[in-house]
Amino acid sequence: MTNKTFAASSLAAQAMGWIDPVTKAVVPPIHMASTYQRDEDNGYSSGRIYARSDNPTFDQAEATLAALEGGAKALVFSSGMSAATACFLALAPGDHVVAPKVMYWSLRNWLAGFAQHWGLLVDFVDADRTDAIAAAVKPGSTKLVWIETPANPTWCVTDIAAAADIAHRAGALLGVDSTVGTPVLTRPIELGADIVMHSATKYLNGHSDIIAGALVGAHDDEHWQKLRTIRAQIGTILGQTEAWLLLRGMRTLFPRVAWACRSAQTLAERLSSHPMVAEVLYPGLPSFAGHAAAKKQMTGGFGGMLSVRVKGGERAAIASAARVELWKRATSLGGVESLIEHRASVEGPGTPCPPDLLRLSVGVEETSDLFDDLDQALRRGHNA
């Protein structure tokens, strides 16, 4: 597919319109080979040497994601964590980074532990306040500003364009975890980001059947090549079958995200007046602190993730989660099935997550069924 006037949703649905030149199949094959034959002159005219650094099954998934994000190149990884940590491992001991206080908990733990033991200097800030980011950066020393927007699990929003300006004026790169935003709703590179990260396990795949990560670079430059080298040398490559399933999932990304956004908006509005709910955290609500920033940089919806703070505190929240029937009590997000989780229990001591908070990942079930199930669970949980 060479006509670049096609909508992103069309490019995703047809995975860039690729057709196998031999069989004319409209779905790419899975290449299981781990190594590739040299030419008679000892060269590699195919451009491929060994599958730890390259596999043909990656090609279409990476090309599709790069096109959807408007980036120069994309790399798929064995997990979201391996994709994210590669961005920090590309730095040098002694480099300074700025990261959010509210972010994906596993990455925050890694930054607070291994990254600092390895030699990075890390400051955690309230990243929904750009003045806090500006106060934390150290021109000449800060090499990476990392943000996540909307940020898990309170869904606070960072102004990407403002963060990019702050980072670049300090001589740093801006990395954006856009797992929840997805390229359907937000394209951080167009707003000045240098790197976009996805836990591809979530919305990009959308079917809860793989673990995967991805990076998209604004430029195919020296830093990008360093990320590519890290993936090969550490061996954090995606399996061939998982890469194929990731591409399969991206074909339905746009309709899945659109459905989830509509449903989440309706649920957020209805739950806001629920007698057992103290507060709804969702960027699509005008009362939400980050609504204005979200409205500026998100198009077509405000995401499929929301959280509710339950009246009655932690006890009532856990009891309510125990009484759902349609929602599934499980970790993760972005799949076709709706998930509910008492997030503070997962994150444990030191979490900034309120103990009365339930995290909701809205799938593609009927919205009325999802609301009715939450309604009965909240009422029964409150009375437990």
Side-chain angles (χ1 to χ4, degrees), residues 273-296:
S273 59
H274 195 282
M276 308 307 169
V277 173
E279 184 182 15
V280 177
L281 305 177
Y282 183 64
L285 294 175
S287 59
F288 185 73
H291 178 69
K295 191 174 181 180
K296 183 172 71 170

Side-chain angles (χ1 to χ4, degrees), residues 14-15 18-20 23 25-31 56-57 59-61 64 243-244 247-248 251:
Q14 292 198 9
W18 184 91
I19 300 294
D20 183 84
T23 66
V26 299
V27 176
I30 302 176
H31 293 271
T57 314
D59 292 357
Q60 208 63 25
T64 299
W244 187 91
L247 181 63
R248 182 279 316 265
R251 286 176 177 260

